[in-house]
Amino acid sequence: MVQITYVDAAGTPRTVKGEAGSTVMETAIRNNVPGIDAECGGACACATCHVYVGEEWAEAVGPAEPMEQDMLDFASDVRPSSRLSCQIRLKPELDGLTVTTPARQG
């Protein structure tokens, strides 16, 4: 299991555990984490699972692929740390990952 802390736009953290191989988005949905809408269900066809990856995790998470970068054009308040949580696959190296949800999705 991989521990992830989701911090909402107000600064409230929620820590949950997810299975290696699942995504940050899937883990959020399974654990009723607010702030991740995931309208496309993880198909990288919307930007409603947008998160900001903590700076200390950027290298471990890796960069966004071109398709994800294109979808981020539709997200609100995009920053250099922006990622779509449906594209971040959990692995043991991400144990302790922290992501923050934006004030609004889409």
Side-chain angles (χ1 to χ4, degrees), residues 16-33:
V16 300
K17 293 195 179 222
E19 293 182 33
S22 66
T23 66
V24 171
M25 182 217 73
E26 291 166 338
T27 302
I29 298 302
R30 284 188 193 114
N31 289 281
N32 298 312
V33 173

Side-chain angles (χ1 to χ4, degrees), residues 45-63:
C46 71
T48 61
C49 68
H50 176 210
V51 296
Y52 306 116
V53 173
E55 184 178 314
E56 66 278 12
W57 290 100
E59 188 175 327
V61 169

